């Protein structure tokens, strides 16, 4: 599809890239079928093909109103449409550029801006853990669902401290250590059992995705630069990889190179970070066979694995975790509509609560239909979103860690 | 079939707003532009309004209102059509049926499914899978296109050679005529009394009635299916192999062809494992009991080898078979990897002329300076040449249109027809003038009038006006080449 960029878009650093992406779209509509919001609303404007058109209109200089804003806000950035697109349209990148341009062309009201800033500050700053503690105290008086999702976290257990010859960095994350501290600890224990030391660096924090998706691109780049600085000494000292156990953050790390490419001081380092970033499932499968002698029987063997969008669409890692779980003796049950988002999508669940709740219900219904003992997943957002139902929810690395003897 | 807009726009919109909730009525250009075309992006038109009803009562109310006010109505499903059949009318309402996406019943005993019109083709098979059944017609767009659209276009698919088109797999269609009167076509009985109007509404491109509910026939999943991928060093040989298979009395479950350009485009997406060195690959499927399949695969392989196949590979398992088909089914949009736009034509010719036709297309590629990968339902002789062009360049657009038109003319010349399964829509109006004489076209118009005397349901599609044919006839006298190629032809 051809786009006549308006002057402002032509001069914008990302304008030409957006036009290139638009060129690849042939308007076939294959992507609408896997779009969660198109399934809910049945309106072209709430599906990828329509959103592509809306973004095209903005780039061509037509004045967008709050309706274009609404339809772009409703997009989960799950990128299921990218997986479905035979023409290779990079929708995720396009919607990112579209949102950035839209924010410039049509700034949000001060209330919305303030709310977004506050959200980013609470979730990524030091305030989140104390607030969460208050929330957990208030559980008895909170609405059912929220209360259930604030259930006490699994205790982290011990963090192995044995120095090892092989070392890998781990992105500790921002909300995850408060919400589910056991995930990082379990990661460290599994890798320790394989003779790999897992390092975290205190100064590294949020990967930047939170702010990036709240229209705060400049602040997000600050997050990225801070993390790069924090990790750099360990990388120079020979850390083999940057492990990520939250696939949403992994997608972001893999984009550092693109997002900082215009920053002369950081472009090369950012590209290196992206090259080193690894989801756990990119590292473990060839190694787990060595764990076999150390593994006890699984507590639950009938499992479903909910592949986070950031894993299956964002990083295009499909079937890898499932294959490894099967190799580890789990019975991985099939379920309907696996490509669809659970509605968590980072801060989406807070900004679009109604859509998010509907998607959660549908996802839980699909996941529990084959009667699993446990729902496994690979991203903190999804784990929180899916918890609070009748079936327990766990990161798959915790499921594996429980079997270590 | 010009429609008289009686009421002025603000009054129509106000009346629509009274019967539709806010989220179900789009009127601003910002919101209606994304609806300006279907899968054929060459022809675009913004509608006055888009209606997105959610209840049957709202559909009826919109139809009655528009009928009373003389406002054209164009039904739309998923907007994947390739002939502009769902092109909006500038002064009309685009009636989206996408929100009617419930599967109402799957009857295992009767082997039927009853669904709303906005249900996706593939969703029917998914719903029927637990019963061991599926819906056989499988257009390549099956992930996205709706059954309402399939009925309107009489859509086919890669398995239609053996299992038939939409027409052969639909039992009953319930809907409304343009004035909001309930109608029903066909029945659940094997043969209904009276005239078979079902055959009339299937393929009517949304011009006779708005479909509200469809009952389709389901078939048992075959015990086994395997697919042969045969390579050829020359496209004409592949074409002749198709004719040889049919002549040998074989009816493959699917018989499809991709030329080298097409397989190279789709391979990076589908990882189908196609032979990218071959000039053309044929996909040839057999299904049934394991014994039947084994025997048929052997027979097919023998015929293909005799027809100069350079390599024969049989799918080893279900995953590989599905990959072979995924490549074929995603081939059109993969064209977007090579050019900003493609124009997919749909001519159908007698199988024995496939080789000759491909050679003619190669000559046209040189003449028009545009490349044209070929993908098609070889078994039915249904061609889908994909003319690649640049939609930002008016000259490229004009050449693409002329290229497409010449392919269709060539199809008619070889004893074929201008459409196999995508419909006539807006795209092939001119070529309808070449294929049918005036009395035949008048008969089509009479059928349309019997259902829609005022001509406001999807007006201007399928049946060319006398004036258009006269104009087209004048243009074509100039030695086949169109004068003024810079002018849009639609
Ligand atoms: C990449 C690609 C591959 C394709 N492959 C094939 C293929 O293999 N075989 C094939 O046959 N087609 C194919 N098509 C064409 C297209 O998908 C079919 O024509 C399909 O049936 C259109 O369905 P839709 O829901 O998108 O309908 P639309 O495009 O929205 O509408 C098509 C027609 O149906 C009418 N209509 C829709 N819903 C209703 C309703 N409820 N009541 C009355 N009229 C209605 C419209 O008015 C219009 O005339 C392909 C298209 C694409 C983009
Ligand atoms: S990213 Fe997800 S929600 Fe957004 S358009 Fe694509 S499929 Fe739809
Ligand atoms: S599938 Fe790709 S090419 Fe087709 S409409 Fe969607 S984004 Fe465009």
């Amino acid at each position: 599809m051809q786009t006549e960029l308006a002057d402002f878009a032509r001069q914008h650093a990302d304008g030409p890239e957006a036009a290139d992406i638009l060129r690849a779209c042939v308007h076939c509509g294959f992507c609408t079928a896997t779009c969660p919001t198109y399934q809910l609303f049945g309106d072209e404007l709430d599906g990828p093909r329509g959103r592509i058109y809306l973004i095209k209109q903005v780039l061509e200089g037509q004045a967008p109103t709050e309706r274009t804003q609404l339809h772009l806000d409703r997009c989960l950035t799950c990128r299921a449409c990218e997986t479905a697109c035979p023409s290779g349209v990079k929708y995720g990148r396009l919607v990112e550029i579209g949102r950035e341009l839209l924010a410039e062309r049509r700034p949000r009201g001060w209330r919305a801006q303030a709310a977004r800033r506050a959200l980013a500050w609470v979730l990524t700053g030091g305030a989140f853990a104390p607030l969460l503690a208050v929330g957990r105290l208030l559980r008895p008086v909170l609405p059912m669902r929220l209360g259930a999702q604030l259930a006490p976290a699994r205790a982290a257990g011990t963090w192995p401290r044995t120095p090892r010859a092989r070392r890998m960095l781990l992105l500790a994350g921002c909300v995850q250590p408060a919400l589910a501290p056991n995930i990082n600890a379990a990661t460290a224990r599994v890798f320790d059992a394989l003779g790999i030391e897992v390092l975290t660096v205190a100064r590294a924090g949020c990967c930047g995705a939170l702010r990036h998706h709240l229209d705060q691109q400049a602040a997000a780049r600050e997050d990225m630069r801070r993390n790069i600085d924090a990790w750099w000494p360990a990388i120079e000292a020979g850390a083999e990889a940057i492990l990520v156990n939250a696939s949403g953050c992994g997608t972001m790390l893999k984009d550092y190179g693109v997002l900082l490419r215009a920053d002369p001081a950081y472009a090369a380092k950012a590209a290196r970070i992206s090259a080193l970033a690894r989801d756990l499932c990119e590292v473990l499968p060839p190694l787990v066979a060595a764990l076999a002698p150390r593994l006890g029987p699984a507590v639950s063997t009938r499992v479903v694995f909910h592949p986070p969008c950031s894993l299956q669409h964002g990083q295009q890692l499909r079937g890898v975790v499932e294959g490894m779980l099967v190799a580890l003796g789990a019975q991985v049950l099939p379920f309907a509509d696996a490509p669809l988002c659970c509605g968590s999508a980072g801060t989406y669940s807070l900004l679009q609560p109604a859509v998010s709740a509907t998607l959660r219900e549908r996802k839980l219904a699909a996941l529990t239909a084959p009667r699993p003992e446990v729902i496994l997943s690979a991203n903190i957002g999804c784990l929180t979103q899916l918890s609070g139902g009748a079936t327990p929810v766990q990161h798959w690395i915790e499921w594996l860690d429980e079997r270590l003897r | 079939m010009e429609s008289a807009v009686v009421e002025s726009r603000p009054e129509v919109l106000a009346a629509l707003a009274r019967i539709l909730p806010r989220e179900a009525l789009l009127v601003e250009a910002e919101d209606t532009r994304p609806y300006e075309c279907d899968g054929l992006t060459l022809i675009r038109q913004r509608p006055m309004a888009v209606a997105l009803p959610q209840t049957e009562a709202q559909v009826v109310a919109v139809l009655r209102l528009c009928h009373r006010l003389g406002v054209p109505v164009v039904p739309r499903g998923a907007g994947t059509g390739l002939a502009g059949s769902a092109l909006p009318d500038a002064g009309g309402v685009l009636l989206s049926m996408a929100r009617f996406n419930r599967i109402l019943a799957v009857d295992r005993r009767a082997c039927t499914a009853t669904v709303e019109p906005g249900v996706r083709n593939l969703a029917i098979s998914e719903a029927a899978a637990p019963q061991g059944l599926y819906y056989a017609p499988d257009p390549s767009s099956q992930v996205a296109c709706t059954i309402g659209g399939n009925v309107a276009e009489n859509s086919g698919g890669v398995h239609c050679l053996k299992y038939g088109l939409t027409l052969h797999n639909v039992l009953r269609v319930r809907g409304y005529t343009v004035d909001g009167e309930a109608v029903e076509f066909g029945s659940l009985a094997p043969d209904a009394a009276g005239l078979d109007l079902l055959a009339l509404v299937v393929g009517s491109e949304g011009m006779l009635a708005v479909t509200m509910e469809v009952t389709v026939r389901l078939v048992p999943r075959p015990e086994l299916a395997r697919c042969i991928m045969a390579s050829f060093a020359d496209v004409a040989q592949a074409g002749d192999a198709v004719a040889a298979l049919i002549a040998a009395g074989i009816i493959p479950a699917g018989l499809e062809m991709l030329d080298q350009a097409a397989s190279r485009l789709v391979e990076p997406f589908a990882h189908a494992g196609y032979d990218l060195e071959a000039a053309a690959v044929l996909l040839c499927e057999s299904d049934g009991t394991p014994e039947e399949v084994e025997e048929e695969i052997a027979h097919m392989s023998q015929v293909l080898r005799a027809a100069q196949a350079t390599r024969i590979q049989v799918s080893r398992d279900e995953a590989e078979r599905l990959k072979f088909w995924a490549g074929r089914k995603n081939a059109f949009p993969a064209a977007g990897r090579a050019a900003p736009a493609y124009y997919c034509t749909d001519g159908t010719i007698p199988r024995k002329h496939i080789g000759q036709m491909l050679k003619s297309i190669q000559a046209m590629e040189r003449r028009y300076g545009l490349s044209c990968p070929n993908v098609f339902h070889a078994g039915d002789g249904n061609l889908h040449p994909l003319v690649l062009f640049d939609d930002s360049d008016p000259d490229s657009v004009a050449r693409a249109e002329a290229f497409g038109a010449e392919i269709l003319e060539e199809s008619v010349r070889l004893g074929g027809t201008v459409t196999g399964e995508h419909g006539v829509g807006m795209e092939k109006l001119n070529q309808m003038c070449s294929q049918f004489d005036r009395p035949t076209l008048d008969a089509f118009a009479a059928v349309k009038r019997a259902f829609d005397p005022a001509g406001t349901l999807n007006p201007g599609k399928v049946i060319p006006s006398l004036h258009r044919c006269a104009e087209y006839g004048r243009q074509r006298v100039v030695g086949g080449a169109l004068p003024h190629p810079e002018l849009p032809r639609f």
Side-chain angles (χ1 to χ4, degrees):
Chain A
M1 220 164 48
Q2 195 52 44
T3 312
E4 282 293 323
L5 289 187
D7 284 344
F8 85 95
R10 204 170 305 123
Q11 283 147 18
H12 194 279
D14 295 328
E17 186 186 355
D20 272 353
I21 300 175
L22 281 165
R23 262 175 87 83
C25 175
V26 290
H27 207 71
C28 67
F30 280 22
C31 51
T32 52
T34 53
C35 174
T37 54
Y38 185 78
Q39 288 202 349
L40 282 186
F41 294 101
D43 182 351
E44 190 80 9
L45 306 178
D46 282 312
R49 185 172 61 168
R51 289 183 178 125
I52 288 173
Y53 238 90
L54 292 173
I55 296 170
K56 176 177 145 86
Q57 296 186 42
V58 175
L59 287 163
E60 290 184 335
Q62 278 144 34
T65 72
E66 75 284 354
R67 286 188 309 278
T68 291
Q69 181 97 62
L70 171 74
H71 297 301
L72 293 192
D73 280 353
R74 272 194 196 147
C75 166
L76 296 138
T77 330
C78 66
R79 293 164 71 181
C81 49
E82 247 176 77
T83 300
C85 174
S87 186
V89 172
K90 296 196 185 73
Y91 173 87
R93 184 69 188 124
L94 180 67
V95 75
E96 229 168 62
I97 300 173
R99 283 174 174 149
E100 197 171 342
L101 286 172
L102 190 64
E104 288 170 20
R105 299 283 286 167
R106 200 183 166 282
R108 290 178 198 273
W110 66 269
R111 260 176 223 281
Q113 289 198 31
R116 283 166 174 255
R117 265 199 299 274
L119 196 57
W121 180 79
V122 168
L123 291 174
T124 62
F128 183 65
L131 281 175
L132 183 66
V134 174
R136 284 191 171 130
L137 279 178
L138 291 178
R139 250 184 99 207
V141 296
L142 286 175
M144 261 272 281
R145 205 195 124 203
L146 190 60
Q149 289 187 335
L150 289 176
R154 257 177 227 108
T158 53
W159 189 290
R161 294 287 169 205
T162 334
R164 304 278 185 185
R166 294 186 67 183
R167 271 166 300 149
M168 295 184 186
L169 279 164
L170 171 70
L171 167 74
C174 47
V175 295
Q176 181 168 298
L179 277 172
N182 187 46
I183 298 177
N184 285 348
T187 306
R189 286 189 293 267
V190 171
F191 277 82
D192 180 66
L194 291 165
I196 299 171
E197 186 180 351
V198 167
L199 313 169
T200 58
V201 179
R203 220 154 53 76
C206 174
C207 62
L210 266 170
R211 271 183 268 269
H212 188 67
H213 295 140
L214 288 170
D215 295 345
Q216 299 170 31
Q217 275 76 10
R221 282 189 280 269
E222 280 308 312
D223 283 331
M224 300 179 217
R225 284 187 280 258
R226 182 204 56 232
N227 288 354
I228 294 174
D229 289 341
W231 288 324
W232 205 252
I235 290 172
E236 298 222 290
E240 287 173 50
I242 307 175
L243 296 172
V244 191
N245 55 22
S247 55
C249 312
T251 315
M252 185 71 186
L253 251 60
K254 289 181 178 180
D255 276 347
Y256 273 24
V258 174
L259 295 170
L260 287 179
R261 67 176 174 210
D263 179 337
Y266 281 86
K269 287 181 175 179
R272 183 85 194 283
I273 298 288
S274 291
L276 285 171
R278 295 278 186 287
D279 188 85
L280 297 185
C281 77
E282 291 176 277
V283 181
L284 280 178
L287 305 176
V288 283
L291 277 183
R294 293 203 46 194
L295 291 183
V299 181
S300 27
T301 49
R302 283 176 59 84
V303 310
V304 283
F305 177 71
H306 162 62
C309 298
S310 43
L311 193 68
Q312 59 168 335
H313 307 306
Q315 302 184 50
Q316 293 287 317
L317 293 168
R318 277 188 294 280
V320 186
V321 177
E322 292 91 328
M324 181 173 41
L325 293 172
V326 169
L328 288 165
Q331 188 189 351
V332 181
L333 307 164
F335 63 97
D337 289 332
L340 287 198
C341 179
C342 66
S344 162
T347 49
Y348 189 93
S349 50
L350 302 169
L351 295 167
Q352 299 283 340
V355 180
S356 171
T358 311
L359 292 175
R360 172 180 185 267
E361 264 163 47
R362 292 191 177 191
K363 183 53 75 180
L364 275 177
L367 284 168
T368 52
R371 311 200 158 279
E373 293 165 278
V374 61
I375 299 172
L376 302 179
S377 193
N379 185 42
I380 183 65
C382 312
L383 294 167
T384 317
Q385 173 85 346
L386 296 174
S387 66
T391 314
V393 178
Q394 233 182 359
H395 195 296
W396 63 266
I397 196 78
E398 295 179 282
W399 177 88
L400 178 56
D401 169 57
E402 276 174 7
R403 298 176 55 188
L404 281 181
R405 286 194 282 227
Chain B
M1 217 165 300
E2 294 295 291
S3 50
V5 180
V6 180
E7 291 292 322
S8 63
R9 191 185 132 98
E11 277 155 86
V12 177
L13 294 180
L16 281 168
R18 278 194 292 276
I19 52 179
L20 290 169
R22 242 184 99 188
E23 284 236 338
L25 181 64
L26 312 177
V27 295
E28 299 301 330
E30 183 182 11
D31 298 334
T32 55
R33 191 169 293 110
Y35 282 92
E36 69 186 2
C37 61
D38 55 13
L40 177 73
T41 52
L42 269 173
I43 320 177
R44 299 181 296 274
Q45 173 62 60
R46 233 167 7 87
M48 173 178 69
V50 178
L52 297 147
Q54 210 148 17
T55 66
E56 196 164 329
Q58 287 168 356
V59 173
V60 176
V62 169
L63 285 172
R64 289 212 176 118
L65 176 84
C66 291
H67 183 64
R68 187 161 52 77
L69 302 180
V71 175
V73 173
V74 177
R76 170 172 162 128
T80 67
L82 288 171
S85 310
L87 181 80
D89 186 290
V93 171
L94 186 70
L95 181 64
S96 167
M97 302 299 281
R99 288 183 167 166
F100 296 98
N101 61 0
R102 283 176 311 165
I103 292 178
L104 303 171
V106 176
D107 185 335
R108 188 164 61 100
R109 290 260 199 82
C111 287
T112 62
T114 300
V115 304
E116 292 184 336
V119 169
R120 295 177 299 117
N121 171 300
L122 187 62
I124 303 178
S125 290
E126 284 170 358
Q131 330 276 2
L133 302 169
Y134 75 111
Y135 176 62
D138 57 343
S140 301
S141 51
Q142 70 181 143
V143 283
C145 65
T146 68
I147 190 72
N150 290 178
V151 167
E153 302 287 9
N154 189 18
S155 299
V158 300
H159 289 91
C160 284
L161 183 57
K162 181 165 173 184
Y163 294 97
L165 300 162
T166 304
L167 176 63
H168 312 106
N169 291 276
V170 164
L171 295 168
R172 183 179 139 269
V173 171
R174 182 173 75 72
Y176 293 94
T177 50
V178 67
D179 51 357
E181 285 289 314
V183 275
E184 197 163 318
F185 305 90
S187 78
L188 300 184
D191 188 18
L195 280 177
D196 184 6
L197 294 181
L198 180 64
L200 200 58
V201 77
V202 175
S204 65
E205 303 197 22
M207 293 176 69
L208 303 185
V210 173
T211 300
M212 205 58 238
E213 193 178 290
V214 183
T215 303
V216 299
R217 188 199 314 279
L218 301 172
V219 290
R221 222 164 243 298
E223 263 178 70
L224 182 69
R226 293 183 80 192
C227 183
I228 298 176
M229 177 181 69
S231 311
F232 289 85
D234 179 84
V235 281
Q237 281 173 351
D240 295 342
V242 171
L245 279 167
I246 306 288
I250 304 171
I251 309 250
L255 183 53
E256 300 282 314
M257 179 163 154
L258 293 92
D259 69 8
Q260 188 181 52
S263 23
R264 287 190 174 176
L265 280 176
V266 78
E267 189 63 23
F269 172 75
H271 308 291
Y274 290 156
D275 180 350
L276 301 182
E277 298 312 314
V281 293
L282 267 191
L283 298 176
C284 182
E285 182 152 289
S286 168
D287 65 6
T289 64
E291 299 75 36
E292 286 165 350
V293 172
E294 192 185 342
E295 194 182 315
E296 199 173 44
I297 291 277
H299 189 189
M300 287 170 173
S301 305
Q302 185 198 342
V303 175
L304 287 167
R305 253 183 231 110
Q308 320 278 316
T310 53
R311 195 180 124 194
I312 285 184
Q313 187 184 332
V314 185
S315 61
R316 279 159 299 191
D317 50 26
E318 187 62 6
E320 188 169 53
R321 183 183 78 89
L322 293 176
K323 286 228 170 239
F324 283 179
W325 288 119
R328 164 62 187 86
K329 290 187 174 176
N330 287 294
F332 299 175
R337 292 171 183 266
Y342 69 89
Y343 172 25
C344 170
T345 50
D346 182 35
T348 301
I349 54 169
R351 280 179 292 258
K352 59 174 190 275
H353 294 317
I354 291 178
Q356 185 190 341
M357 181 71 172
L358 289 172
K359 291 288 174 206
S360 311
I361 291 178
Q362 283 176 348
M364 292 182 218
E365 286 187 283
R366 286 189 293 274
R367 200 142 26 85
Y368 290 100
L370 296 172
S371 63
C372 178
N374 280 285
V375 187
F376 52 90
H377 305 306
D380 323 319
N382 181 196
L383 310 172
H384 292 320
L386 299 170
V387 179
L388 305 184
F389 66 101
D390 181 349
D391 54 355
S392 68
D393 171 6
D395 180 55
S396 174
V397 173
R399 276 182 286 137
E401 289 175 351
F403 193 151
E406 189 172 341
I407 295 175
L408 294 181
E409 291 296 345
E410 181 72 1
S411 307
V412 176
R413 209 183 55 78
L414 292 172
T417 152
V418 296
T419 172
E421 54 177 20
H422 296 166
V424 175
M426 292 299 290
E427 178 217 355
K428 304 181 192 87
L429 276 175
N430 284 342
Q431 289 76 26
M432 288 291 278
C433 307
S434 322
Q435 184 168 353
F436 298 102
D437 57 12
R438 198 64 231 173
T440 312
L441 293 173
D442 286 343
F444 292 160
V447 173
K448 164 74 173 158
R449 267 196 308 278
F451 281 83
D452 176 15
T456 50
L457 189 60
N458 208 1
K461 313 282 169 66
V462 184
I463 312 166
S465 65
L466 193 58
H467 175 74
R468 177 187 276 267
C469 287
E471 181 63 21
Y472 184 57
R474 259 197 304 281
Q475 284 171 9
R476 290 188 54 229
V477 210
V478 199
L482 294 175
H484 307 296
E486 73 284 3
L487 296 176
R489 297 286 164 208
F490 296 100

